[in-house]
Amino acid sequence: MSDRSRLAALERSIQHASNYQEYVDACLAHDALSGAAEWKAKDICRDYDYRLIRKRVQRIKLSRSRGDIHGLMSILHEGLHGNLGNISNPTLNHQAKIGTKTLIEEFIDQVCASLDAIYEADEKEVDFYEKLSFFEETAHAFGRSCLMLSGGAGLGFFHAGVVKSLVEHDALPEVISGASAGSIIASLIGTRTDDELRESLAPESIYEKFSHWKIWQGFGRNSLLDATNLENALIELFDLMTFEEAYKKTGRHITVTVSPSDLHQFSRLLNAKTSPNAVITQAVRASCAIPLVFAPVQLKAKTASGDIVPYIPNRRFVDGSLMADMPFQRLARLYGVNHSIVSQTNPLAVPFLSRDKKHSNGIGAITWRHITNLAKVNSIYAFDMMESLVSNKGAKLGIHKIRSVIDQQYVGDINILPARGFGNVKHIFSNPSEKSITKLVNNAERASWSKLDNIKRSTRISKTLRCYLKRLKEREARILSGHRGPGLELVS
């Protein structure tokens, strides 16, 4: 059999792998045969600063061999960030079926081993508060990743498969946002432990809750669909839990986005920082309120005595994806996020998005990007002009919403999208069957496989930093509370 035939056979194995390990094995075999494994082994490449990374690895190894903890701290302090030497260049993720330059992976290994060494260092050499200060400063400077789950109506159950895959491979970020259908899955993440989450994301569980989310009630009403079944499902899932209560249970920072139903208001991000006492059920219900399809929603909050009261009285909110499908900039301000993983099912965006993020520098690619940006800017200008000229409040609001849809960014650093096809359309406004949900979840898991290696690599340092910072913070809390005992010993 020729090499070409064997590569074609391996590509079929990749496409039809029954589990992630089979997928990885087929990818590695393909890389070995195609020459990609040789590419990974060679440091030299114009797509990143291999000299800088190689020098940094050498310095870290030297300090580790000498047991020089302060030297390691100095090296990491002086320039550790997620794209040092352009190692996060998307081009580096498309030369092989799986993995990237061995030098980059070695750099990440050495950084994480250094963090292990600093955390475990004898406190006669590096005292507790010096460690705490180091991890606080370094974690803040390095930043972290977020997972953003888009709108998509019934197609949004695709997110369940993406999250299921991330949980199973210990790759789920602690910062998660959800808009519209994505808000349901984001809230499941924030209100459940990993074991509970696996159970809630099972297709049979999703079908049981949302098998009849769509009830047609016709024209001439305040909405085309009756939200009774959707509301009952959300109440059963989240009850009266608030964002603060959810964070205390799971330690995950979940955000639900909602859009205003009137003019002169902006989209809101509801989470434990901005709205700790807001009730998750009503936030999700509002985020799912597609204009005309579902009626606008009044948010609710829980008082200290447990009473449920209106939140932001006299205001109603609708579908979060209209104005804040991917609220990356605001998540960055709130949580120090500087890297994003996106599960995108928004029917307004998916047909036009590339499955892979690449930075081509060819003349054609640069010209196309410029033309696309010009078209977007000109469209926004046109809608701004129309909004200023129209006096009717309803028309002005409609124009403003369309402008918001055009003005948004729908992709992140790593993007997981459903396969293109007319079959996706039927999921959007249809009541699902258990079979259709199972197929959607399985397809989402498969779609995540090609991204998992990159996700793990991109999040490993930040997860290590925040793991040790969390342990040190917990230890500090015990020290300050005066409870001494075995818990005060160094946690390894």
Side-chain angles (χ1 to χ4, degrees):
M1 184 183 293
S2 68
D3 285 353
R4 181 176 294 182
S5 297
R6 284 189 288 170
L7 285 172
L10 286 169
E11 285 170 2
R12 289 193 294 273
S13 297
I14 292 169
Q15 185 178 358
H16 300 293
S18 59
N19 56 61
Y20 182 62
Q21 189 56 53
E22 279 187 19
Y23 172 86
V24 170
D25 291 342
C27 285
L28 290 172
H30 190 285
D31 286 348
L33 186 60
S34 69
E38 294 179 15
W39 174 86
K40 287 188 279 189
K42 293 178 181 176
D43 295 349
I44 299 173
C45 179
R46 65 182 181 180
D47 295 319
Y48 77 115
D49 190 343
Y50 65 91
R51 294 184 182 87
L52 171 65
I53 301 303
R54 188 161 59 193
K55 184 66 175 178
R56 193 62 56 93
V57 168
Q58 291 169 350
R59 290 178 62 197
I60 291 174
K61 282 183 174 180
L62 181 60
S63 291
R64 287 185 61 208
S65 68
R66 293 173 174 173
D68 183 2
I69 299 301
H70 284 99
L72 287 175
M73 293 169 72
S74 176
I75 293 169
L76 297 186
H77 255 315
E78 73 182 34
L80 181 63
H81 59 83
N83 197 23
L84 182 68
N86 207 26
I87 61 174
S88 295
N89 185 346
T91 304
L92 294 167
N93 298 315
H94 298 290
Q95 303 298 324
K97 290 294 184 181
I98 194 167
T100 187
K101 288 290 186 181
T102 303
L103 178 62
I104 294 175
E105 296 185 352
E106 184 181 12
F107 169 71
I108 295 170
D109 289 342
Q110 289 296 327
V111 168
C112 290
S114 298
L115 294 174
D116 295 342
I118 293 167
Y119 177 75
E120 294 166 358
D122 189 331
E123 295 195 357
K124 293 177 182 177
E125 182 180 357
V126 183
D127 70 36
F128 170 77
Y129 282 103
E130 190 177 359
K131 288 182 185 180
L132 178 60
S133 176
F134 168 81
F135 279 99
E136 280 183 327
E137 293 170 2
T138 310
H140 177 74
F142 189 83
R144 60 170 133 182
S145 298
C146 67
L147 172 66
M148 297 188 289
L149 309 175
S150 75
L155 188 58
F157 295 123
F158 176 90
H159 300 317
V162 172
V163 172
K164 182 170 178 284
S165 183
L166 294 178
V167 170
E168 288 176 353
H169 293 92
D170 191 28
L172 183 68
E174 290 184 346
V175 179
I176 305 103
S177 76
S180 196
S183 71
I184 299 174
I185 306 301
S187 297
L188 284 173
I189 297 170
T191 57
R192 282 152 173 76
T193 63
D194 283 357
D195 289 339
E196 293 170 339
L197 186 56
R198 290 187 184 94
E199 183 177 334
S200 296
L201 294 176
E204 56 270 21
S205 178
I206 295 173
Y207 175 73
E208 179 186 349
K209 299 292 190 301
F210 297 100
S211 58
H212 294 91
W213 70 271
K214 186 194 77 171
I215 305 174
W216 178 260
Q217 66 178 8
F219 298 99
R221 310 258 184 135
N222 62 349
S223 64
L224 296 177
L225 300 184
D226 182 345
T228 301
N229 282 358
L230 177 60
E231 288 178 350
N232 289 339
L234 297 178
I235 290 169
E236 187 176 348
L237 287 172
F238 309 120
D239 196 21
L240 297 175
M241 185 176 287
T242 66
F243 285 95
E244 183 176 50
E245 291 168 345
Y247 174 71
K248 287 180 178 178
K249 177 180 178 179
T250 66
R252 291 173 176 140
H253 303 280
I254 60 164
T255 289
V256 170
T257 68
V258 295
S259 303
S261 63
D262 53 5
L263 286 168
H264 311 303
Q265 293 289 313
F266 297 95
S267 60
R268 289 180 179 267
L269 270 58
L270 305 173
N271 52 52
K273 285 182 178 287
T274 63
S275 47
N277 299 319
V279 175
I280 291 174
T281 295
Q282 288 301 104
V284 175
R285 172 67 187 85
S287 192
C288 292
I290 305 168
L292 302 180
V293 178
F294 289 122
V297 175
Q298 164 72 69
L299 300 176
K300 302 289 185 182
K302 185 188 292 186
T303 66
S305 60
D307 295 328
I308 304 301
V309 298
Y311 184 73
I312 316 178
N314 304 320
R315 295 292 181 189
R316 298 289 187 273
F317 293 88
V318 295
D319 193 331
S321 65
L322 285 178
M323 299 180 74
D325 202 40
M326 302 279 116
F328 180 77
Q329 295 300 328
R330 283 187 279 176
L331 290 177
R333 290 196 297 271
L334 286 167
Y335 296 111
V337 164
N338 58 5
H339 178 266
S340 59
I341 303 159
V342 168
S343 179
Q344 179 56 265
T345 61
N346 193 318
L348 298 175
V350 167
F352 310 103
L353 299 179
S354 170
R355 266 55 192 162
D356 295 307
K357 182 176 179 180
K358 298 180 182 179
H359 292 323
S360 175
N361 293 319
I363 293 174
I366 293 172
T367 302
W368 177 248
R369 285 201 298 268
H370 183 63
I371 291 172
T372 303
N373 288 335
L374 279 177
K376 181 175 180 178
V377 170
N378 288 336
S379 297
I380 293 169
Y381 168 75
F383 279 103
D384 283 342
M385 290 296 293
M386 284 191 285
E387 186 178 343
S388 66
L389 294 172
V390 170
S391 57
N392 180 272
K393 184 178 179 181
K396 190 182 286 286
L397 180 61
I399 292 169
H400 185 71
K401 291 289 190 283
I402 295 172
R403 180 203 186 280
S404 296
V405 170
I406 295 172
D407 193 27
Q408 293 189 60
Q409 176 73 23
Y410 290 98
V411 294
D413 294 293
I414 299 174
N415 303 292
I416 305 171
L417 288 76
R420 288 192 179 97
F422 290 108
N424 290 331
V425 177
K426 67 183 180 183
H427 293 292
I428 296 174
F429 286 116
S430 64
N431 284 322
S433 65
E434 187 171 343
K435 181 179 179 181
S436 70
I437 293 177
T438 299
K439 184 177 180 180
L440 203 57
V441 170
N442 289 342
N443 288 345
E445 288 188 81
R446 295 186 66 86
S448 73
W449 289 351
S450 63
K451 312 293 182 180
L452 276 173
D453 183 71
N454 190 9
I455 291 171
K456 290 179 181 180
R457 189 166 57 250
S458 301
T459 60
R460 187 177 165 198
I461 293 176
S462 65
K463 288 186 73 170
T464 303
L465 280 165
R466 291 188 179 276
C467 172
Y468 288 143
L469 177 59
K470 181 180 178 181
R471 293 186 189 182
L472 291 167
K473 286 279 192 183
E474 289 172 350
R475 185 175 164 201
E476 181 188 38
R478 292 194 296 269
I479 292 172
L480 295 176
S481 67
H483 296 300
R484 307 192 65 83
L488 290 182
E489 299 302 319
L490 183 65
V491 182
S492 61

